Amino acid sequence: MTDQPPSYPPPPPPGGYGYPPPQQPGGYGYPPPGSGYPQQTPGTNGLAIASLVCSLLGWLCGIGPILGLVFGFIALNQIKQTGQGGRGMALAGIIIGAVAIVAGIVLLSLGAIFGSTDKGRSTRTDSGAPAVVLTVEQQPLWPVLAA
């Protein structure tokens, strides 16, 4: 049985007469911290940007594609842990860096194979024609000075 005498009406259903019950997460009716403010997104990973830039501009100094690969793999790991953006940039940096490294290796190999211009010829660099030496007698600048 209930604690109320039988003359009282029955208690209202939970939530009270069609309205939801008041929620008081902080105890004072204030919303929980951060619920009324826009949530900040984590942003783009800086190493993903660095990976793409190094891979694209790496041909200027030669070490860029290697840095692009390293920064790209580190950025992918950080993006997985923090939920930041920039996964596409990190992947693009890795792919472009790998293609640039492979292209550099291929070009160096082709240069080593076909770069030799000495195909059985002698190493002599002159034309073989004798040099002609002319001697010219000096003339005075002014006839007055010659006297």
Side-chain angles (χ1 to χ4, degrees), residues 30-121:
Y30 294 111
S35 67
Y37 302 102
Q39 297 292 326
Q40 291 184 347
T41 58
T44 305
N45 189 293
L47 286 176
I49 297 170
S51 169
L52 184 60
V53 170
C54 286
S55 293
L56 286 174
L57 300 178
W59 57 274
L60 294 174
C61 65
I63 196 166
I66 297 169
L67 291 176
L69 279 174
V70 172
F71 290 158
F73 283 117
I74 294 173
L76 282 179
N77 191 18
Q78 288 180 356
I79 288 169
K80 190 185 331 177
Q81 292 175 354
T82 63
Q84 290 179 308
R87 184 174 188 273
M89 283 191 278
L91 287 174
I94 290 170
I95 293 168
I96 293 170
V99 168
I101 289 172
V102 169
I105 291 172
V106 167
L107 287 176
L108 285 175
S109 299
L110 290 175
I113 293 171
F114 297 113
S116 170
T117 58
D118 188 21
K119 301 280 184 195
R121 289 181 268 159

Side-chain angles (χ1 to χ4, degrees), residues 5-35:
S7 61
Y8 285 106
Y17 303 109
Y19 295 106
Q23 295 184 4
Q24 298 177 354
Y28 297 106
Y30 294 111
S35 67

